Amino acid sequence: LKQNWVNKGIKATQKSTMSLLGVDNYYELGIGKNMFLSLRYWLEATNIIKPTSEGHELTLFGKYISSNDLSCKKPFTVNLMQYFLSCDKPENGVEKSHTFYWFFNIFEERILKKQTLVEELLRWDTLTYRRSTSQNTIGRDIDCLLQTYTKSEKTHPEDKNISVLAQLGLVQKSGELLVRTTIRRNMIDLDAI
């Protein structure tokens, strides 16, 4: 969930001529097709937009962000984005990746390696959904989850992929180890809770 995507997606949703449903609308936002699909996913998964028969509309939370925090810097906004992303069934009824739900609600380890995450998610996915998901797919889901919470600074001058949720500090890297932590004190927002 890139830093500038929420603002871009909200503005697109508010335009009467723009729809986040039409895959060919990506060029109007100045992003690629895959980024366009990813943007729509993240906005739905964090309960900022919801699908309608005509396209998408802002949820109550999306309207709050539009009016008060388009840059997603306030702890209130980021805490609620985290809540909606990691809850089982979002208020907007849109299905989303169960990886985030699993990591924050089912998986209990605090210090881990990426391979452990892949193996445990594969096991849980098989037992819960009675399906066989490829290890590559699960690996990509875990990579996405980790980047969502660890991509907090630019590592290259052209890097624009800072994640909004990284500011919560919920996953820290220490060499090959990953450490799951609690929300940083400065990001706790009692109103969001």
Side-chain angles (χ1 to χ4, degrees):
L1 180 56
K2 297 178 183 181
Q3 192 73 48
N4 63 345
W5 278 13
V6 174
N7 181 2
K8 192 174 280 218
I10 285 176
K11 288 181 178 178
T13 302
Q14 292 173 324
K15 281 172 106 177
S16 61
T17 59
M18 177 71 190
S19 169
L20 291 177
L21 285 179
V23 177
D24 293 331
N25 291 336
Y26 66 91
Y27 59 88
E28 288 185 47
L29 290 176
I31 59 178
K33 189 182 277 188
N34 289 338
M35 284 183 160
F36 180 82
L37 295 171
S38 186
L39 168 68
R40 183 175 69 205
Y41 164 81
W42 285 109
L43 294 179
E44 289 177 352
T46 54
N47 197 39
I48 295 170
I49 63 171
K50 63 182 175 185
T52 65
S53 57
E54 293 84 40
H56 284 87
E57 67 182 18
L58 295 178
T59 62
L60 182 61
F61 181 49
K63 289 175 185 174
Y64 164 81
I65 294 172
S66 176
S67 300
N68 299 291
D69 192 15
L70 274 173
S71 61
C72 297
K73 300 253 186 219
K74 295 181 180 180
F76 179 82
T77 305
V78 181
N79 275 283
L80 284 178
M81 290 171 80
Q82 168 61 22
Y83 167 75
F84 288 123
L85 183 61
S86 63
C87 68
D88 188 22
K89 297 287 182 194
E91 290 180 16
N92 62 11
V94 174
E95 274 298 319
K96 58 182 192 257
S97 172
H98 60 277
T99 302
F100 291 85
Y101 170 76
W102 169 81
F103 185 74
F104 289 104
N105 297 285
I106 306 295
F107 188 69
E108 295 179 353
E109 299 295 322
R110 295 283 176 210
I111 300 173
L112 44 111
K113 289 186 176 183
K114 178 188 166 191
Q115 188 57 37
T116 304
L117 286 174
V118 172
E119 291 166 3
E120 291 298 318
L121 181 54
L122 267 169
R123 184 179 352 258
W124 180 77
D125 195 50
T126 302
L127 292 172
T128 304
Y129 296 100
R130 306 221 187 281
R131 66 179 178 207
S132 179
T133 306
S134 83
Q135 189 164 354
N136 288 338
T137 299
I138 295 291
R140 285 192 300 272
D141 282 359
I142 294 296
D143 284 341
C144 178
L145 179 132
L146 295 175
Q147 285 196 16
T148 298
Y149 296 99
T150 61
K151 191 74 170 168
S152 61
E153 54 189 51
K154 294 180 180 182
T155 54
H156 187 274
E158 293 182 17
D159 197 355
K160 297 177 184 169
N161 297 330
I162 295 174
S163 173
V164 171
L165 295 175
Q167 59 191 303
L168 291 172
L170 293 175
V171 178
Q172 304 292 317
K173 285 184 178 180
S174 179
E176 284 189 26
L177 292 177
L178 301 161
V179 180
R180 191 165 63 173
T181 63
T182 57
I183 293 176
R184 294 179 184 157
R185 183 177 295 247
N186 68 328
M187 292 303 294
I188 293 175
D189 187 285
L190 295 179
D191 290 333
I193 293 169

